[in-house]
Each structure stands twice: as structure tokens, then as C-alpha cells.
Amino acid sequence: NRDINKMRLSSELTAAQLADGRLDRVAGPYWVPEAKRVSPLDFLNSLCAAETSGGGGGGGGSGGGGGGDGGPPREEVLKRNTLANRIRWMLKDTMGADGEFERRRAEL
């Protein structure tokens, strides 16, 4: 399992995977039950919501598509589509390691 996660990090964190056009097409992990599944777009939408409400953190949960459906504006979501936030999503919502990014950051 650890080896597969290492391969995921090297393949899913390329510039092509972070391209804005792919954000809408990347679904959450198939191995997570559908009711709990969070896509990168969902993660970024909830991150925007937390930051604009003054919470400033976390992410996760479900969100909309941004803009017209009551979600955050698309440009706000795209500003947060970064390598660091993609790693946070992968650790929290696909590997069950919520908070690990911040623990490692503090350690370094």
C-alpha cells in the first residue's frame, strides 16, 4: 500500500494533473464510499468557503462547481488549485492521513 501511494504522489502531482481543465474531470477515489467521496474540486470549494468565512483551514466535504450554483467564484477556486493543496487533498481524502501535511511541515 505504501509503495502504491508513493507512485500516486509521483504521477498525480504533475503539472498536467493540476491543469485547470482537468479539475472538473478528476473524481474522488473509487475506493471511498460514494457518500464520503471528495473530489479535488469539492476539496477546493470547501477550502474557499472556510477561508472566506474566516475559518482559514481544513477543506474536505462536498461543494459545488463554483460561481453560478452558490459556490465560490471559479477564479477563487483556481487560485487554490496548487500542488500543496492537492497533496493536502490526497492525504486527507484519499489516504486517511488528515493533518499529516501540517505535521510534516512543522517537523521540517
Side-chain angles (χ1 to χ4, degrees):
N1 192 20
R2 213 172 5 166
D3 291 338
I4 292 172
N5 286 335
K6 289 176 189 173
M7 290 189 312
R8 284 188 59 215
L9 288 171
S10 65
S11 66
E12 293 182 38
L13 297 175
T14 64
Q17 293 294 320
L18 292 171
D20 296 343
R22 290 196 51 93
L23 192 58
D24 294 316
R25 296 181 297 178
V26 178
Y30 68 88
W31 57 88
V32 174
E34 194 169 341
K36 296 181 178 185
R37 195 172 298 161
V38 177
S39 73
L41 182 59
D42 294 337
F43 178 82
L44 294 173
N45 281 328
S46 62
L47 188 63
C48 285
E51 289 177 2
T52 56
S53 69
S62 61
D69 62 358
R74 181 75 176 184
E75 55 274 357
E76 291 299 316
V77 173
L78 294 178
K79 280 197 288 189
R80 288 165 178 82
N81 187 25
T82 63
L83 183 64
N85 282 334
R86 185 63 59 100
I87 294 171
R88 285 182 179 100
W89 168 75
M90 289 177 73
L91 289 169
K92 179 181 189 291
D93 293 308
T94 74
M95 295 181 188
D98 188 15
E100 191 60 29
F101 183 90
E102 296 304 324
R103 283 190 288 276
R104 297 292 176 150
R105 186 176 65 79
E107 182 180 306
L108 295 174

